[in-house]
Amino acid sequence: MTTFLIRRIAFMFVTVLGAVTVTFVLATMVPSDPARAALGPDATESQVAQYRSERGLDQPLPVQYLRYVGAVARGDFGRSIVSRTPVIDDLARFIPATIELLIPSLLLSIVFGVGLGVAAAFYRGTWVDQVSRFLSLVGLSMPIFWLGLVLQLVFFRALGWFPASGRLSSALSPPPHETGLYTIDALLAGRWDLFWSAGHHLVLPAVALSTLTLGIVARMTRSSLLDVLSSNYVRTARSKGLQERSVLWKHALRNALIPIVTVIGLRLGQMFSGAVLTETVFAWPGVGRYAFTALRQLDFPVVIAFTVWATFVYAFVNLLVDLSYSWIDPRVRLE
Amino acid sequence: MPRTMTTLMFALVLMLGGALAQRGDPNTLTVALSGNVETMDPHSASSRAVPFLENVYEPLVGLQGPTIDLTPVLAERVDVSDDQTVYTFHLRPGVQFHDGSPLDARAVVYSFERVRGMNKGPYWAIGYLESMEAIDDLTVRMTIRPGGPPFLHAVSMVGIVSPASFDPQKKDGDAWAEDWAATNTAGTGPYVLAELVRGDRFVLEKFEPYWGGWDRPHFTRSVMLLIPERSTAQLMLERGEIDIAEQVPTEALPALRANPAVTVIERDSGVRVLYLMLNAAAGPTADVRVRQAINLAFDQATFLEATGGAFTTSNGPVPAEFIGGYEPEIPYNRVDLDEARRLLQEAGQASMTLDVYYTTGDQVQELAGQVLQAYLSQIGVTVNVIAQDFPAFVRAITAWGTSERSASDENFRMANFLYTPPRMPDAYAYLWYMYHSAAQGGLGRNQNFYANPAVDALIEAGALAIDPEERIARYREAVDLIVADAPQVFVGTQRMIYTLRSDVGGFYMHPTWFPAVRVYPLYRED
């Protein structure tokens, strides 16, 4: 187990280094000029030249590369070319925003996705199955952008139940930065009004973001569970007189979990690295929109930092998924 | 599992309970910004950040209300020498910076030196400044070389900053405290930057000792929210959660006009003129007849209609309401396909291909490209409308003039769409930057190699003229020559549209501030 962990963590660092290298190479191959992109078409040549020398953009590429890797290894991602703020400060603000959105959204998709999938498999071929399959198909195929706008139209514009944008009411100031998650920071500061407002602002974006994962999880649960339900040991369990509930939740579902967990892990990685569309519709200042803007402006330090983050998250979530296999299925040994 | 679900439902119901949205404080103005303000530094800010920062930083002289006339701001009075090369600014006494230090001549000199030292933002406008000196605590004398943009207009683009706050923040490799100034402010304006949540919001709060005073009704606080999606801003405006939306979807305008709680303010003009720049030096468009033919085939009216009222006509290089602007006779500003075909025949380009570049994601440019494609196909011209990412686009248009002018060059292009920026309400900015031959190759926006020595001479003569009427006369002659050469297609002018709650009073639109909101003149009507 320990060797497994050490090996996997070492491998994770190699993956991150590879991603940094690939990003750097790709970024330098793009036919555009970050200095120009930052200064705009009105800057004079001398302004552009000065900018390049200030940021080391006029150094030879290998030098630039080594400087980047060295700095990244020290956890120093530099300052954003566009805003001049330290990238690490930005990440400390934008990543928690995404995580705060992700957790409720993931809970929603797991609870309702697994629920729908189990119901569909258990009542296979009945109307329950049809409805569940229809719902998961809707979740899968509905564009998040459109869904977001519809949710805003109904629950904000018409009913006025939930706010349409941002993380907090415009009348309130964010709580002191502890974790960066407004709900938790509000509780730590003992500010119920902030907690309330932050939670309230989470509802619509979390629902919008959950639908795709919900659809995937529901379909995966159904098919995986159907496989298991037709297996011999389930027949044995039933024939020895176990209650149907126990057969379903204890024996069948646990054995059907591995593909479901794998799929959730994949989606988690994607969502962690940002949900650009949801973040745009709901004006949610998360890491996805931050990285998207940076990419458009060729803000190299931000792009590199984001790549490191995204790679790390994927590698880390994969590690968790692998670890969870041995917990779900004791026959799996980690070596 | 069922228990989890019950808990979750319970939580949802609880949240619904809290849904009774708190009505905002009537003294707070809430604004939806459509794009980010990337820096708080008035001396590196480019287009959209500049007018926003005028809530915090003030120039010596500024534009008066909705007009393009200059008015004293931090300078009480300006003496100008007869030859217009020496400007003496008498500062308003008793003005305080947000950090408590007094406004004095030292701060003015520091601010202009900072702009020169940083070589960013408004630097282009004060490049003709030769020397300056503090005569006494409240007097600054500046000497310029003649031949540049109108100097007082240039001065109006430089916000005065507090050296008491800025200077201690300088570091090795950052002589002008740029890192600090990107997120911190110290100006003299009516509002202080009280809170900055990157990517989310800015909060401005009233500066009590502001020299302009707080006798009339004003907002004491303003929250600027970054709302990238226009439909979201529209819904929030309709619900009254925001007071002003910088941008709403064009198709929402009819409903908003009919809504008594919302006022739509529109102005049938604007500083953002969309051009299709045609390569005047190489390729088939080097022939003036081809350029005229393209103009004769493009129907501006079709394009304007297709934008649903977001754009209005463009009839010349300089918007008519600006100093020296006017609408010249444009012989080819009509649709005449027969004449266009004849001109192409004459030029030996009866069937040609035109590559037109636009910025990815710019729907207006894309639309203009499609209109162009449809009309030009009728005169035998195949138009390829090509999308290009903004960074690559900027590099290409700025590198356009710096390399070999051959069709095989990667930077060679026949045509691309281009906006003029809201720089300065004076013909100089438009004419020099778009049409002077020295403005090629990244020095200006003459990216299509347009070069006419007579035009250059007229632009220079206009800039040197001391008599304003003579200046304007030279500029008009230049415009007439440019129009005859047809180096571009006038595609349209973006109309200025603001949508605000009807109880916001004091709002006016300014030709060079779009899109931005000045909070100080505004108040909540009872």
Side-chain angles (χ1 to χ4, degrees), chain B residues 329-356:
Chain B
E329 282 292 314
I330 306 181
Y332 44 78
N333 214 2
R334 62 196 156 93
V335 181
D336 188 340
L337 298 178
D338 292 334
E339 175 71 4
R341 280 190 209 100
R342 194 186 62 76
L343 283 166
L344 283 182
Q345 288 279 344
E346 250 181 60
Q349 298 287 352
S351 67
M352 60 170 274
T353 305
L354 184 72
D355 290 341
V356 173

mmCIF file of all heavy atoms in Angstrom, chain B residues 329-356:
data_model
loop_
_atom_site.group_PDB
_atom_site.id
_atom_site.type_symbol
_atom_site.label_atom_id
_atom_site.label_comp_id
_atom_site.label_asym_id
_atom_site.label_seq_id
_atom_site.Cartn_x
_atom_site.Cartn_y
_atom_site.Cartn_z
ATOM 1 N N GLU B 329 -18.842 64.108 -48.839
ATOM 2 C CA GLU B 329 -19.531 63.460 -49.960
ATOM 3 C C GLU B 329 -18.785 62.174 -50.275
ATOM 4 O O GLU B 329 -17.581 62.208 -50.543
ATOM 5 C CB GLU B 329 -19.471 64.379 -51.190
ATOM 6 C CG GLU B 329 -20.456 65.526 -51.145
ATOM 7 C CD GLU B 329 -21.883 65.039 -51.260
ATOM 8 O OE1 GLU B 329 -22.152 64.193 -52.153
ATOM 9 O OE2 GLU B 329 -22.717 65.467 -50.441
ATOM 10 N N ILE B 330 -19.452 61.061 -50.229
ATOM 11 C CA ILE B 330 -18.760 59.814 -50.570
ATOM 12 C C ILE B 330 -19.391 59.252 -51.837
ATOM 13 O O ILE B 330 -20.502 58.726 -51.795
ATOM 14 C CB ILE B 330 -18.848 58.789 -49.432
ATOM 15 C CG1 ILE B 330 -18.333 59.436 -48.139
ATOM 16 C CG2 ILE B 330 -18.027 57.549 -49.769
ATOM 17 C CD1 ILE B 330 -18.352 58.524 -46.941
ATOM 18 N N PRO B 331 -18.712 59.400 -52.970
ATOM 19 C CA PRO B 331 -19.337 59.050 -54.243
ATOM 20 C C PRO B 331 -19.723 57.573 -54.345
ATOM 21 O O PRO B 331 -20.629 57.228 -55.095
ATOM 22 C CB PRO B 331 -18.272 59.423 -55.279
ATOM 23 C CG PRO B 331 -16.998 59.576 -54.531
ATOM 24 C CD PRO B 331 -17.352 59.936 -53.134
ATOM 25 N N TYR B 332 -19.024 56.713 -53.577
ATOM 26 C CA TYR B 332 -19.309 55.277 -53.717
ATOM 27 C C TYR B 332 -20.124 54.743 -52.538
ATOM 28 O O TYR B 332 -20.237 53.552 -52.355
ATOM 29 C CB TYR B 332 -18.004 54.486 -53.846
ATOM 30 C CG TYR B 332 -16.950 54.927 -52.865
ATOM 31 C CD1 TYR B 332 -17.029 54.520 -51.530
ATOM 32 C CD2 TYR B 332 -15.914 55.759 -53.255
ATOM 33 C CE1 TYR B 332 -16.100 54.938 -50.615
ATOM 34 C CE2 TYR B 332 -14.979 56.183 -52.333
ATOM 35 C CZ TYR B 332 -15.067 55.772 -51.018
ATOM 36 O OH TYR B 332 -14.142 56.195 -50.118
ATOM 37 N N ASN B 333 -20.656 55.640 -51.703
ATOM 38 C CA ASN B 333 -21.432 55.166 -50.562
ATOM 39 C C ASN B 333 -22.876 54.892 -50.972
ATOM 40 O O ASN B 333 -23.812 55.462 -50.466
ATOM 41 C CB ASN B 333 -21.380 56.178 -49.425
ATOM 42 C CG ASN B 333 -21.392 55.480 -48.066
ATOM 43 O OD1 ASN B 333 -21.410 54.249 -48.006
ATOM 44 N ND2 ASN B 333 -21.388 56.237 -47.001
ATOM 45 N N ARG B 334 -23.038 54.025 -51.963
ATOM 46 C CA ARG B 334 -24.348 53.625 -52.459
ATOM 47 C C ARG B 334 -24.139 52.261 -53.066
ATOM 48 O O ARG B 334 -22.995 51.821 -53.213
ATOM 49 C CB ARG B 334 -24.842 54.615 -53.530
ATOM 50 C CG ARG B 334 -23.920 54.652 -54.748
ATOM 51 C CD ARG B 334 -24.163 55.872 -55.623
ATOM 52 N NE ARG B 334 -22.963 56.166 -56.388
ATOM 53 C CZ ARG B 334 -22.729 55.705 -57.621
ATOM 54 N NH1 ARG B 334 -23.613 54.952 -58.240
ATOM 55 N NH2 ARG B 334 -21.602 55.991 -58.241
ATOM 56 N N VAL B 335 -25.216 51.579 -53.372
ATOM 57 C CA VAL B 335 -25.056 50.274 -53.995
ATOM 58 C C VAL B 335 -25.272 50.428 -55.495
ATOM 59 O O VAL B 335 -26.309 50.909 -55.941
ATOM 60 C CB VAL B 335 -26.049 49.247 -53.408
ATOM 61 C CG1 VAL B 335 -25.839 47.894 -54.045
ATOM 62 C CG2 VAL B 335 -25.860 49.152 -51.899
ATOM 63 N N ASP B 336 -24.263 50.098 -56.279
ATOM 64 C CA ASP B 336 -24.359 50.166 -57.733
ATOM 65 C C ASP B 336 -23.540 49.004 -58.293
ATOM 66 O O ASP B 336 -22.343 49.126 -58.534
ATOM 67 C CB ASP B 336 -23.838 51.515 -58.229
ATOM 68 C CG ASP B 336 -24.106 51.692 -59.728
ATOM 69 O OD1 ASP B 336 -24.317 50.665 -60.423
ATOM 70 O OD2 ASP B 336 -24.103 52.848 -60.195
ATOM 71 N N LEU B 337 -24.230 47.872 -58.449
ATOM 72 C CA LEU B 337 -23.500 46.658 -58.826
ATOM 73 C C LEU B 337 -22.932 46.755 -60.243
ATOM 74 O O LEU B 337 -21.840 46.251 -60.518
ATOM 75 C CB LEU B 337 -24.411 45.442 -58.690
ATOM 76 C CG LEU B 337 -24.909 45.189 -57.254
ATOM 77 C CD1 LEU B 337 -25.837 43.994 -57.211
ATOM 78 C CD2 LEU B 337 -23.751 44.991 -56.293
ATOM 79 N N ASP B 338 -23.662 47.420 -61.159
ATOM 80 C CA ASP B 338 -23.171 47.535 -62.547
ATOM 81 C C ASP B 338 -21.867 48.315 -62.585
ATOM 82 O O ASP B 338 -20.896 47.906 -63.219
ATOM 83 C CB ASP B 338 -24.220 48.226 -63.421
ATOM 84 C CG ASP B 338 -25.442 47.342 -63.599
ATOM 85 O OD1 ASP B 338 -25.265 46.094 -63.503
ATOM 86 O OD2 ASP B 338 -26.544 47.876 -63.798
ATOM 87 N N GLU B 339 -21.884 49.440 -61.860
ATOM 88 C CA GLU B 339 -20.687 50.273 -61.799
ATOM 89 C C GLU B 339 -19.532 49.489 -61.162
ATOM 90 O O GLU B 339 -18.388 49.549 -61.620
ATOM 91 C CB GLU B 339 -21.010 51.540 -60.987
ATOM 92 C CG GLU B 339 -19.847 52.464 -60.709
ATOM 93 C CD GLU B 339 -19.361 53.220 -61.954
ATOM 94 O OE1 GLU B 339 -19.986 53.068 -63.009
ATOM 95 O OE2 GLU B 339 -18.343 53.939 -61.841
ATOM 96 N N ALA B 340 -19.851 48.715 -60.119
ATOM 97 C CA ALA B 340 -18.825 47.923 -59.441
ATOM 98 C C ALA B 340 -18.218 46.908 -60.400
ATOM 99 O O ALA B 340 -16.994 46.759 -60.479
ATOM 100 C CB ALA B 340 -19.432 47.217 -58.227
ATOM 101 N N ARG B 341 -19.088 46.233 -61.179
ATOM 102 C CA ARG B 341 -18.586 45.232 -62.140
ATOM 103 C C ARG B 341 -17.682 45.912 -63.171
ATOM 104 O O ARG B 341 -16.638 45.382 -63.544
ATOM 105 C CB ARG B 341 -19.763 44.550 -62.847
ATOM 106 C CG ARG B 341 -20.389 43.458 -62.006
ATOM 107 C CD ARG B 341 -21.382 42.633 -62.809
ATOM 108 N NE ARG B 341 -22.395 42.117 -61.893
ATOM 109 C CZ ARG B 341 -23.595 42.631 -61.734
ATOM 110 N NH1 ARG B 341 -23.980 43.683 -62.459
ATOM 111 N NH2 ARG B 341 -24.442 42.120 -60.874
ATOM 112 N N ARG B 342 -18.120 47.098 -63.629
ATOM 113 C CA ARG B 342 -17.350 47.811 -64.646
ATOM 114 C C ARG B 342 -15.952 48.163 -64.117
ATOM 115 O O ARG B 342 -14.944 47.966 -64.797
ATOM 116 C CB ARG B 342 -18.109 49.091 -65.037
ATOM 117 C CG ARG B 342 -17.611 49.761 -66.307
ATOM 118 C CD ARG B 342 -18.304 51.088 -66.550
ATOM 119 N NE ARG B 342 -18.047 52.065 -65.491
ATOM 120 C CZ ARG B 342 -16.906 52.742 -65.342
ATOM 121 N NH1 ARG B 342 -15.915 52.545 -66.182
ATOM 122 N NH2 ARG B 342 -16.756 53.606 -64.358
ATOM 123 N N LEU B 343 -15.916 48.632 -62.843
ATOM 124 C CA LEU B 343 -14.624 49.005 -62.263
ATOM 125 C C LEU B 343 -13.704 47.787 -62.136
ATOM 126 O O LEU B 343 -12.506 47.869 -62.405
ATOM 127 C CB LEU B 343 -14.825 49.644 -60.879
ATOM 128 C CG LEU B 343 -15.311 51.094 -60.884
ATOM 129 C CD1 LEU B 343 -15.808 51.503 -59.500
ATOM 130 C CD2 LEU B 343 -14.192 52.023 -61.334
ATOM 131 N N LEU B 344 -14.288 46.653 -61.750
ATOM 132 C CA LEU B 344 -13.480 45.441 -61.616
ATOM 133 C C LEU B 344 -12.939 45.007 -62.975
ATOM 134 O O LEU B 344 -11.788 44.596 -63.102
ATOM 135 C CB LEU B 344 -14.309 44.311 -60.999
ATOM 136 C CG LEU B 344 -14.550 44.388 -59.488
ATOM 137 C CD1 LEU B 344 -15.333 43.171 -59.018
ATOM 138 C CD2 LEU B 344 -13.247 44.494 -58.716
ATOM 139 N N GLN B 345 -13.792 45.086 -64.002
ATOM 140 C CA GLN B 345 -13.374 44.759 -65.375
ATOM 141 C C GLN B 345 -12.164 45.596 -65.767
ATOM 142 O O GLN B 345 -11.149 45.083 -66.214
ATOM 143 C CB GLN B 345 -14.514 45.079 -66.358
ATOM 144 C CG GLN B 345 -15.694 44.124 -66.294
ATOM 145 C CD GLN B 345 -15.431 42.854 -67.076
ATOM 146 O OE1 GLN B 345 -14.513 42.807 -67.882
ATOM 147 N NE2 GLN B 345 -16.222 41.805 -66.828
ATOM 148 N N GLU B 346 -12.335 46.903 -65.525
ATOM 149 C CA GLU B 346 -11.281 47.848 -65.874
ATOM 150 C C GLU B 346 -9.973 47.513 -65.187
ATOM 151 O O GLU B 346 -8.892 47.633 -65.756
ATOM 152 C CB GLU B 346 -11.702 49.242 -65.406
ATOM 153 C CG GLU B 346 -12.041 50.200 -66.512
ATOM 154 C CD GLU B 346 -12.421 51.556 -65.922
ATOM 155 O OE1 GLU B 346 -11.581 52.168 -65.231
ATOM 156 O OE2 GLU B 346 -13.576 51.959 -66.140
ATOM 157 N N ALA B 347 -10.102 47.074 -63.923
ATOM 158 C CA ALA B 347 -8.898 46.770 -63.153
ATOM 159 C C ALA B 347 -8.363 45.375 -63.474
ATOM 160 O O ALA B 347 -7.349 44.954 -62.925
ATOM 161 C CB ALA B 347 -9.203 46.883 -61.660
ATOM 162 N N GLY B 348 -9.075 44.653 -64.355
ATOM 163 C CA GLY B 348 -8.634 43.306 -64.704
ATOM 164 C C GLY B 348 -8.855 42.303 -63.588
ATOM 165 O O GLY B 348 -8.119 41.333 -63.459
ATOM 166 N N GLN B 349 -9.871 42.550 -62.745
ATOM 167 C CA GLN B 349 -10.132 41.645 -61.619
ATOM 168 C C GLN B 349 -11.581 41.164 -61.679
ATOM 169 O O GLN B 349 -12.275 41.149 -60.665
ATOM 170 C CB GLN B 349 -9.880 42.368 -60.291
ATOM 171 C CG GLN B 349 -8.473 42.845 -60.084
ATOM 172 C CD GLN B 349 -7.508 41.713 -59.780
ATOM 173 O OE1 GLN B 349 -7.923 40.568 -59.587
ATOM 174 N NE2 GLN B 349 -6.219 42.006 -59.813
ATOM 175 N N ALA B 350 -12.030 40.766 -62.880
ATOM 176 C CA ALA B 350 -13.436 40.416 -63.065
ATOM 177 C C ALA B 350 -13.866 39.284 -62.133
ATOM 178 O O ALA B 350 -15.011 39.238 -61.686
ATOM 179 C CB ALA B 350 -13.700 40.038 -64.510
ATOM 180 N N SER B 351 -12.964 38.347 -61.834
ATOM 181 C CA SER B 351 -13.307 37.367 -60.805
ATOM 182 C C SER B 351 -12.113 37.248 -59.865
ATOM 183 O O SER B 351 -11.036 36.822 -60.274
ATOM 184 C CB SER B 351 -13.648 36.010 -61.419
ATOM 185 O OG SER B 351 -12.506 35.451 -61.994
ATOM 186 N N MET B 352 -12.304 37.672 -58.672
ATOM 187 C CA MET B 352 -11.193 37.646 -57.706
ATOM 188 C C MET B 352 -11.668 37.090 -56.366
ATOM 189 O O MET B 352 -12.856 36.912 -56.119
ATOM 190 C CB MET B 352 -10.619 39.055 -57.504
ATOM 191 C CG MET B 352 -11.636 40.068 -56.980
ATOM 192 S SD MET B 352 -10.891 41.638 -56.476
ATOM 193 C CE MET B 352 -10.415 41.280 -54.796
ATOM 194 N N THR B 353 -10.688 36.778 -55.495
ATOM 195 C CA THR B 353 -10.989 36.265 -54.162
ATOM 196 C C THR B 353 -10.505 37.280 -53.135
ATOM 197 O O THR B 353 -9.420 37.838 -53.281
ATOM 198 C CB THR B 353 -10.276 34.921 -53.931
ATOM 199 O OG1 THR B 353 -10.648 34.045 -54.986
ATOM 200 C CG2 THR B 353 -10.681 34.311 -52.611
ATOM 201 N N LEU B 354 -11.323 37.498 -52.122
ATOM 202 C CA LEU B 354 -10.952 38.454 -51.081
ATOM 203 C C LEU B 354 -10.994 37.748 -49.724
ATOM 204 O O LEU B 354 -12.033 37.230 -49.318
ATOM 205 C CB LEU B 354 -11.950 39.624 -51.094
ATOM 206 C CG LEU B 354 -11.672 40.780 -50.144
ATOM 207 C CD1 LEU B 354 -10.483 41.586 -50.626
ATOM 208 C CD2 LEU B 354 -12.898 41.675 -50.027
ATOM 209 N N ASP B 355 -9.840 37.682 -49.054
ATOM 210 C CA ASP B 355 -9.798 37.086 -47.711
ATOM 211 C C ASP B 355 -10.068 38.170 -46.682
ATOM 212 O O ASP B 355 -9.337 39.150 -46.594
ATOM 213 C CB ASP B 355 -8.415 36.478 -47.430
ATOM 214 C CG ASP B 355 -8.164 35.236 -48.268
ATOM 215 O OD1 ASP B 355 -9.154 34.660 -48.765
ATOM 216 O OD2 ASP B 355 -6.992 34.852 -48.433
ATOM 217 N N VAL B 356 -11.118 37.965 -45.903
ATOM 218 C CA VAL B 356 -11.501 38.960 -44.911
ATOM 219 C C VAL B 356 -11.381 38.343 -43.519
ATOM 220 O O VAL B 356 -11.969 37.300 -43.248
ATOM 221 C CB VAL B 356 -12.955 39.431 -45.144
ATOM 222 C CG1 VAL B 356 -13.417 40.340 -44.015
ATOM 223 C CG2 VAL B 356 -13.064 40.148 -46.471
#
